[in-house]
Amino acid sequence: MGDTDLNLPPLSPADLAFDQGDDGSVARSGPVPVKTAEDLEQVFDVPVTVSAVLGSSRLAVGDLLRIAPGAVLELDRRVGEAIDIFVNERLVARGEVVVVEDRLGVTMTEIIKTDR
């Protein structure tokens, strides 16, 4: 099996049951099955990249090359403003930076829902 192959369970006829309305709309017939974390078990080991973005700055290449250790770079965010959390370069949440023992972390304050 290749790295991108998933061993997914087969669909049942109930999973494919849809009704077409008089106006051409399509709606699911019958109840929508309740999904649990166990339904996603096959994707639990898929690696993703999580990024917490404090802000951004736009510079000329010459200015970028002059940045040295200890330099302060001005970002487009204010102190206390939420940071963006991306999974695989897709915005999924916003949060606040927190210190837990001797490490930095993020407390999620808003989950971004998309139509996809």
Side-chain angles (χ1 to χ4, degrees):
M1 187 181 311
D3 289 340
T4 58
D5 294 338
L6 293 177
N7 193 11
L8 299 175
L11 294 174
S12 70
D15 293 328
L16 304 173
F18 291 91
D19 292 327
Q20 185 169 0
D22 294 336
D23 61 355
S25 63
V26 177
R28 194 166 173 70
S29 63
V32 175
V34 175
K35 299 292 183 182
T36 65
E38 292 165 353
D39 295 329
L40 297 174
E41 188 173 350
Q42 294 176 336
V43 297
F44 283 175
D45 293 328
V46 174
V48 295
T49 301
V50 178
S51 305
V53 179
L54 298 171
S56 62
S57 185
R58 189 174 203 87
L59 325 167
V61 172
D63 294 335
L64 178 64
L65 295 173
R66 287 190 287 275
I67 292 176
V72 175
L73 184 63
E74 185 176 336
L75 300 175
D76 62 350
R77 302 272 173 100
R78 299 187 190 281
V79 173
E81 192 173 338
I83 65 169
D84 294 332
I85 294 96
F86 291 85
V87 173
N88 289 347
E89 299 181 16
R90 185 176 188 164
L91 180 64
V92 297
R94 291 204 170 84
E96 297 174 351
V97 176
V98 295
V99 177
V100 180
E101 295 178 14
D102 62 340
R103 296 179 180 251
L104 290 177
V106 177
T107 298
M108 305 292 180
T109 57
E110 176 187 0
I111 303 299
I112 308 297
K113 295 186 178 189
T114 61
D115 293 335
R116 289 173 121 194

